[in-house]
């Protein structure tokens, strides 16, 4: 990959819908990824489209929604879909690259919940496009062979990721922890069974003002990562940063970097139907098994670290590696 893989970033389009995106908070991966590839410092950037093996569509779904859906009078996806469809029309008429592969060597990155909806209006046009999505829901059309699951990172005002306040494995007095809003049906079920009801499984809607969310995670063995309105949650990465074994409470979530990371070795998956059994399941994990998982969590941290410019084996390279693997499945016609 390091010697052969090059990505061409299309120059067409204007900000704020193209070539930029949010740089902080919940959807900031869009802006960070676009500006990383356009900075000229990434070693995988192609200098000419003829040397590229993949083509990046520099659109920000989050910015489209911010600028074209304000005020929010409706939730119809037509405006979003038209922007991306029109852009593909422009580049497919100007260049040969889209048409020769029917989009199979092209990709875009979206962390907004509406990202998958880009392709629903015209399934034929988007049939082969590589979608790099935070909302990687296998039950809603996400195809792991073609699409890429993107980790969701909530970037704070300073730095590039959550605070790292993790304690050693022997200094973690909490069995399980979650704090967050009642977004989506999974969390409502979680709250029904566990909200403020158990000292070992600490589930809260809000923490008190004098309590630190990341310190709680750092004192916890197993961090609960339930889906919200959609399957992905920034708590997965926050757990890894805190050295806390992530507990994926979700159905249909295709986990990031599963091509090369065996999540079974450093996380636990609890189906939604087994939410009432969370305490028994986690107490059934032996101390040796927990220590092995926790050690591996620390080892995989580097793959979820966002750095600018990107470095070997960090978040940016892992995403590009995932695109590279899918690009290997594409055979272009001989010219």
């Amino acid at each position: 990959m390091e010697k052969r893989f090059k990505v061409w970033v299309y120059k067409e389009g204007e900000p704020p819908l193209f070539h930029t995106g949010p740089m902080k908070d919940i959807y900031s991966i869009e802006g960070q990824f676009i500006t990383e590839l356009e900075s000229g410092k990434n070693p995988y950037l192609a200098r000419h489209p003829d040397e590229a093996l993949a083509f990046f569509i520099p659109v920000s779904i989050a910015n489209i929604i911010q600028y074209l859906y304000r005020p929010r009078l409706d939730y119809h996806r037509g405006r979003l879909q038209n922007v991306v469809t029109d852009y593909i029309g422009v580049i497919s008429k100007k260049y040969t690259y889209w048409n020769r592969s029917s989009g199979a060597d092209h990709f875009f990155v979206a962390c907004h919940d509406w990202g998958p909806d880009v392709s629903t209006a015209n399934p034929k046009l988007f049939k082969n496009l590589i979608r790099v999505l935070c909302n990687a829901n296998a039950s809603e059309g996400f195809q792991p062979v073609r699409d890429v699951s993107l980790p969701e990172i909530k970037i704070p005002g300073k730095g590039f990721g959550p605070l790292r306040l993790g304690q050693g494995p022997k200094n973690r007095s909490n069995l399980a922890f979650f704090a967050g809003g009642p977004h989506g049906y999974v969390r409502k079920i979680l709250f029904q069974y566990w909200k403020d009801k158990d000292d070992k499984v600490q589930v809260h809607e809000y923490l008190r003002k004098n309590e630190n969310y990341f310190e709680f995670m750092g004192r916890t063995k197993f961090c609960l990562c339930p889906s919200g309105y959609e399957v992905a949650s920034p708590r997965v990465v926050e757990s890894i940063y805190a050295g806390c074994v992530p507990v994926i409470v979700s159905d249909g979530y295709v986990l990031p970097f599963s091509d090369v990371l065996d999540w079974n070795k450093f996380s636990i998956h609890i189906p939604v139907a087994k939410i009432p059994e969370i305490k028994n399941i986690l107490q059934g994990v032996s101390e040796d098994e927990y220590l092995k998982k926790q050690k591996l969590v620390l080892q995989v941290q580097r793959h979820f670290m966002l750095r600018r410019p990107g470095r070997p084996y960090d978040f940016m390279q892992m995403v590009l590696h995932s695109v590279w693997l899918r690009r290997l499945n594409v055979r272009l016609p001989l010219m």
Side-chain angles (χ1 to χ4, degrees):
M1 171 183 167
E2 293 180 351
K3 293 182 178 180
R4 296 186 56 199
F5 189 53
K6 296 293 181 182
V7 177
W8 174 255
V9 181
Y10 283 109
K11 311 302 182 185
E12 288 68 25
E14 297 180 359
L17 306 187
F18 299 91
H19 304 292
T20 187
M23 301 293 287
K24 299 294 179 182
D25 210 17
I26 193 70
Y27 301 130
S28 52
I29 290 304
E30 291 186 13
Q32 293 289 346
F33 195 89
I34 291 171
T35 55
E36 167 71 14
L37 282 189
E38 297 205 348
S39 69
K41 298 178 180 180
N42 192 283
Y44 297 100
L45 183 67
R47 303 302 172 183
H48 189 278
D50 285 345
E51 70 178 20
L53 290 181
F55 298 81
F56 179 53
I57 299 172
V59 60
S60 170
I61 306 305
N63 273 13
I64 290 175
I65 291 159
Q66 178 182 350
Y67 289 100
L68 299 189
Y69 288 83
R70 291 289 185 272
R72 185 70 62 84
L73 300 177
D74 64 72
Y75 293 86
H76 191 271
R77 306 297 201 261
R79 278 166 283 172
L80 166 66
Q81 294 162 342
N82 288 341
V83 170
V84 182
T85 300
D86 290 348
Y87 189 86
I88 290 174
V90 170
I91 61 173
S92 63
K93 290 179 181 178
K94 189 173 182 179
Y95 308 102
T96 62
Y97 308 110
W98 175 279
N99 294 327
R100 72 180 182 182
S101 69
S102 297
D105 52 359
H106 287 58
F107 70 102
F108 76 99
V109 171
C111 209
H112 195 281
D113 293 349
W114 291 14
D117 297 328
V118 166
S119 57
T120 56
N122 192 337
K124 184 177 180 180
L125 177 66
F126 293 100
K127 179 181 179 181
N128 301 308
L129 176 67
I130 300 169
R131 303 179 304 166
V132 183
L133 304 173
C134 286
N135 187 8
N137 191 339
S139 67
E140 296 180 356
F142 183 90
Q143 299 181 32
V145 174
R146 179 198 65 193
D147 299 324
V148 172
S149 178
L150 182 69
E152 188 168 331
I153 302 177
K154 185 177 182 180
I155 298 179
K158 294 182 179 180
F160 288 112
L163 297 175
R164 301 177 68 183
L165 302 176
Q167 302 293 317
K170 300 295 185 181
N171 296 324
R172 293 177 180 261
S173 55
N174 300 330
L175 176 67
F177 167 71
F178 171 80
H183 307 147
Y185 79 96
V186 176
R187 295 188 189 180
K188 290 179 181 178
I189 297 172
L190 181 68
F191 284 177
Q192 176 187 345
Y193 284 95
W194 297 106
K195 180 183 173 184
D196 301 325
K197 294 180 179 179
D198 194 287
D199 290 338
K200 294 293 184 181
V201 180
Q202 296 198 30
V203 174
H204 311 288
E205 186 170 348
Y206 299 105
L207 295 177
R208 291 187 289 268
K209 289 185 178 180
N210 63 337
E211 294 176 323
N212 185 295
Y213 172 78
F214 294 108
E215 287 182 356
F216 255 99
M217 298 185 92
R219 298 195 302 267
T220 300
K221 288 185 173 182
F222 300 100
C223 288
L224 304 179
C225 306
S227 295
Y229 290 124
E230 302 295 347
V231 290
S233 168
R235 282 164 183 79
V236 176
V237 174
E238 290 168 354
S239 299
I240 292 172
Y241 274 49
C244 183
V245 176
V247 179
I248 314 299
V249 186
S250 177
D251 294 331
Y253 183 27
V254 179
L255 291 162
F257 312 145
S258 295
D259 301 301
V260 292
L261 298 183
D262 186 351
W263 283 80
N264 291 322
K265 292 184 177 180
F266 62 91
S267 70
I268 292 175
H269 175 238
I270 296 181
V272 175
K274 291 190 175 183
I275 285 177
E277 305 173 40
I278 282 178
K279 186 174 183 178
N280 290 336
I281 292 172
L282 297 182
Q283 286 183 329
V285 178
S286 70
E287 184 68 9
D288 285 346
E289 184 181 357
Y290 161 70
L291 291 174
K292 288 178 182 178
K293 287 182 180 291
Q294 201 270 342
K295 183 179 180 180
L296 286 172
V297 167
L298 299 180
Q299 291 179 9
V300 302
Q301 278 180 345
R302 64 174 181 164
H303 302 311
F304 297 88
M305 294 291 176
L306 178 63
R307 297 184 176 96
R308 299 289 310 274
R311 302 175 193 173
Y313 307 107
D314 71 355
F315 175 91
M316 290 291 183
Q317 188 174 83
M318 291 294 286
V319 174
L320 288 172
H321 181 260
S322 297
V323 174
W324 157 251
L325 291 178
R326 282 139 188 87
R327 173 60 180 83
L328 292 176
N329 294 329
V330 179
R331 290 190 177 185
L332 298 179
L334 296 177
M335 303 301 290

